[in-house]
Short mmCIF file of all heavy atoms in Angstrom, two decimals:
data_model
loop_
_atom_site.label_atom_id
_atom_site.label_comp_id
_atom_site.label_asym_id
_atom_site.label_seq_id
_atom_site.Cartn_x
_atom_site.Cartn_y
_atom_site.Cartn_z
N GLY A 97 -11.11 11.32 -1.95
CA GLY A 97 -11.72 12.45 -1.26
C GLY A 97 -10.76 13.17 -0.33
O GLY A 97 -9.59 12.79 -0.18
N THR A 98 -11.29 14.21 0.29
CA THR A 98 -10.49 15.10 1.14
C THR A 98 -9.80 14.36 2.27
O THR A 98 -8.64 14.65 2.60
CB THR A 98 -11.40 16.20 1.73
OG1 THR A 98 -12.01 16.92 0.66
CG2 THR A 98 -10.62 17.14 2.60
N PHE A 99 -10.46 13.38 2.84
CA PHE A 99 -9.96 12.76 4.06
C PHE A 99 -9.30 11.40 3.80
O PHE A 99 -9.25 10.55 4.69
CB PHE A 99 -11.11 12.62 5.06
CG PHE A 99 -11.71 13.94 5.43
CD1 PHE A 99 -12.89 14.38 4.83
CD2 PHE A 99 -11.10 14.78 6.35
CE1 PHE A 99 -13.44 15.60 5.15
CE2 PHE A 99 -11.64 16.01 6.68
CZ PHE A 99 -12.82 16.42 6.08
N HIS A 100 -8.79 11.22 2.60
CA HIS A 100 -8.04 10.01 2.25
C HIS A 100 -6.63 10.45 1.85
O HIS A 100 -6.44 11.10 0.82
CB HIS A 100 -8.71 9.26 1.08
CG HIS A 100 -10.07 8.72 1.44
ND1 HIS A 100 -10.28 7.41 1.79
CD2 HIS A 100 -11.28 9.33 1.49
CE1 HIS A 100 -11.57 7.23 2.06
NE2 HIS A 100 -12.19 8.38 1.88
N VAL A 101 -5.63 10.12 2.68
CA VAL A 101 -4.27 10.61 2.46
C VAL A 101 -3.52 9.70 1.50
O VAL A 101 -3.96 8.57 1.19
CB VAL A 101 -3.53 10.74 3.80
CG1 VAL A 101 -4.27 11.69 4.73
CG2 VAL A 101 -3.35 9.39 4.47
N ASN A 102 -2.35 10.16 1.07
CA ASN A 102 -1.56 9.42 0.07
C ASN A 102 -0.46 8.58 0.71
O ASN A 102 0.62 8.41 0.14
CB ASN A 102 -0.97 10.38 -0.95
CG ASN A 102 -0.12 11.45 -0.29
OD1 ASN A 102 -0.02 11.51 0.94
ND2 ASN A 102 0.50 12.30 -1.10
N PHE A 103 -0.71 8.08 1.89
CA PHE A 103 0.22 7.13 2.51
C PHE A 103 -0.59 6.22 3.42
O PHE A 103 -1.78 6.46 3.67
CB PHE A 103 1.33 7.84 3.30
CG PHE A 103 0.83 8.73 4.41
CD1 PHE A 103 0.60 8.22 5.69
CD2 PHE A 103 0.61 10.09 4.19
CE1 PHE A 103 0.15 9.04 6.71
CE2 PHE A 103 0.15 10.91 5.20
CZ PHE A 103 -0.08 10.40 6.47
N THR A 104 0.04 5.14 3.89
CA THR A 104 -0.65 4.21 4.78
C THR A 104 0.24 3.89 5.96
O THR A 104 1.39 4.36 6.04
CB THR A 104 -1.03 2.91 4.02
OG1 THR A 104 -1.87 2.11 4.85
CG2 THR A 104 0.22 2.13 3.62
N LEU A 105 -0.28 3.10 6.90
CA LEU A 105 0.46 2.74 8.12
C LEU A 105 0.74 1.24 8.10
O LEU A 105 -0.06 0.44 7.59
CB LEU A 105 -0.35 3.12 9.36
CG LEU A 105 -0.80 4.59 9.45
CD1 LEU A 105 -1.61 4.82 10.71
CD2 LEU A 105 0.39 5.53 9.40
N TYR A 106 1.88 0.87 8.73
CA TYR A 106 2.34 -0.52 8.68
C TYR A 106 2.46 -1.07 10.10
O TYR A 106 3.08 -0.44 10.97
CB TYR A 106 3.68 -0.61 7.96
CG TYR A 106 3.62 -0.08 6.55
CD1 TYR A 106 3.97 1.24 6.26
CD2 TYR A 106 3.21 -0.89 5.50
CE1 TYR A 106 3.91 1.74 4.97
CE2 TYR A 106 3.15 -0.40 4.19
CZ TYR A 106 3.50 0.92 3.95
OH TYR A 106 3.43 1.41 2.67
N PRO A 107 1.92 -2.25 10.34
CA PRO A 107 1.94 -2.80 11.70
C PRO A 107 3.28 -3.36 12.14
O PRO A 107 3.52 -3.53 13.34
CB PRO A 107 0.89 -3.92 11.64
CG PRO A 107 0.86 -4.35 10.21
CD PRO A 107 1.14 -3.11 9.41
N ASP A 108 4.19 -3.65 11.19
CA ASP A 108 5.44 -4.31 11.54
C ASP A 108 6.59 -3.33 11.78
O ASP A 108 7.74 -3.75 11.92
CB ASP A 108 5.83 -5.31 10.45
CG ASP A 108 5.89 -4.66 9.07
OD1 ASP A 108 5.41 -3.51 8.95
OD2 ASP A 108 6.41 -5.30 8.13
N LYS A 109 6.30 -2.04 11.80
CA LYS A 109 7.36 -1.06 12.05
C LYS A 109 6.76 0.19 12.70
O LYS A 109 5.54 0.42 12.61
CB LYS A 109 8.07 -0.69 10.74
CG LYS A 109 7.20 0.06 9.76
CD LYS A 109 8.01 0.47 8.53
CE LYS A 109 7.17 1.31 7.57
NZ LYS A 109 7.94 1.73 6.39
N PRO A 110 7.60 1.01 13.33
CA PRO A 110 7.07 2.25 13.91
C PRO A 110 6.55 3.17 12.81
O PRO A 110 7.11 3.23 11.70
CB PRO A 110 8.28 2.87 14.62
CG PRO A 110 9.22 1.73 14.83
CD PRO A 110 9.02 0.80 13.67
N ASN A 111 5.46 3.87 13.11
CA ASN A 111 4.85 4.77 12.14
C ASN A 111 4.93 6.21 12.67
O ASN A 111 4.33 6.54 13.70
CB ASN A 111 3.39 4.40 11.92
CG ASN A 111 3.23 3.10 11.15
OD1 ASN A 111 3.28 3.08 9.93
ND2 ASN A 111 3.05 2.01 11.88
N PHE A 112 5.70 7.03 11.96
CA PHE A 112 5.81 8.44 12.30
C PHE A 112 4.69 9.20 11.57
O PHE A 112 4.47 9.02 10.37
CB PHE A 112 7.17 8.99 11.89
CG PHE A 112 7.29 10.48 12.05
CD1 PHE A 112 7.52 11.05 13.29
CD2 PHE A 112 7.15 11.31 10.95
CE1 PHE A 112 7.63 12.42 13.43
CE2 PHE A 112 7.26 12.69 11.08
CZ PHE A 112 7.50 13.24 12.32
N ILE A 113 3.97 10.05 12.30
CA ILE A 113 2.89 10.85 11.72
C ILE A 113 3.10 12.29 12.19
O ILE A 113 3.32 12.53 13.39
CB ILE A 113 1.51 10.35 12.15
CG1 ILE A 113 1.32 8.87 11.78
CG2 ILE A 113 0.41 11.19 11.52
CD1 ILE A 113 0.10 8.24 12.41
N ALA A 114 3.01 13.23 11.26
CA ALA A 114 3.19 14.64 11.62
C ALA A 114 2.15 15.49 10.92
O ALA A 114 1.69 15.17 9.81
CB ALA A 114 4.60 15.10 11.24
N LEU A 115 1.79 16.59 11.58
CA LEU A 115 0.86 17.58 11.03
C LEU A 115 1.61 18.91 10.93
O LEU A 115 2.07 19.44 11.94
CB LEU A 115 -0.37 17.72 11.92
CG LEU A 115 -1.39 18.79 11.53
CD1 LEU A 115 -2.03 18.45 10.18
CD2 LEU A 115 -2.46 18.94 12.61
N PHE A 116 1.74 19.43 9.70
CA PHE A 116 2.42 20.70 9.46
C PHE A 116 1.41 21.77 9.07
O PHE A 116 0.36 21.48 8.49
CB PHE A 116 3.45 20.54 8.33
CG PHE A 116 4.73 19.88 8.77
CD1 PHE A 116 4.83 18.49 8.77
CD2 PHE A 116 5.81 20.63 9.17
CE1 PHE A 116 6.00 17.86 9.16
CE2 PHE A 116 6.99 20.02 9.58
CZ PHE A 116 7.10 18.63 9.57
N ASP A 117 1.79 23.00 9.39
CA ASP A 117 0.94 24.14 9.03
C ASP A 117 1.01 24.38 7.53
O ASP A 117 1.77 23.73 6.80
CB ASP A 117 1.38 25.38 9.80
CG ASP A 117 0.23 26.35 10.03
OD1 ASP A 117 -0.81 26.20 9.37
OD2 ASP A 117 0.36 27.25 10.87
N SER A 118 0.20 25.33 7.06
CA SER A 118 0.05 25.55 5.62
C SER A 118 1.33 26.06 4.96
O SER A 118 1.43 26.01 3.74
CB SER A 118 -1.09 26.55 5.37
OG SER A 118 -0.86 27.76 6.07
N ASP A 119 2.31 26.53 5.75
CA ASP A 119 3.57 26.96 5.15
C ASP A 119 4.48 25.78 4.85
O ASP A 119 5.52 25.93 4.19
CB ASP A 119 4.28 27.97 6.04
CG ASP A 119 4.57 27.43 7.44
OD1 ASP A 119 4.30 26.23 7.69
OD2 ASP A 119 5.03 28.20 8.30
N GLY A 120 4.15 24.59 5.34
CA GLY A 120 4.95 23.40 5.08
C GLY A 120 6.21 23.33 5.91
O GLY A 120 7.01 22.40 5.74
#
Side-chain angles (χ1 to χ4, degrees):
T98 301
F99 300 99
H100 295 260
V101 301
N102 57 356
F103 59 88
T104 189
L105 305 179
Y106 302 94
D108 55 348
K109 67 176 183 179
N111 289 276
F112 173 79
I113 304 169
L115 176 65
F116 281 87
D117 208 345
S118 56
D119 58 5

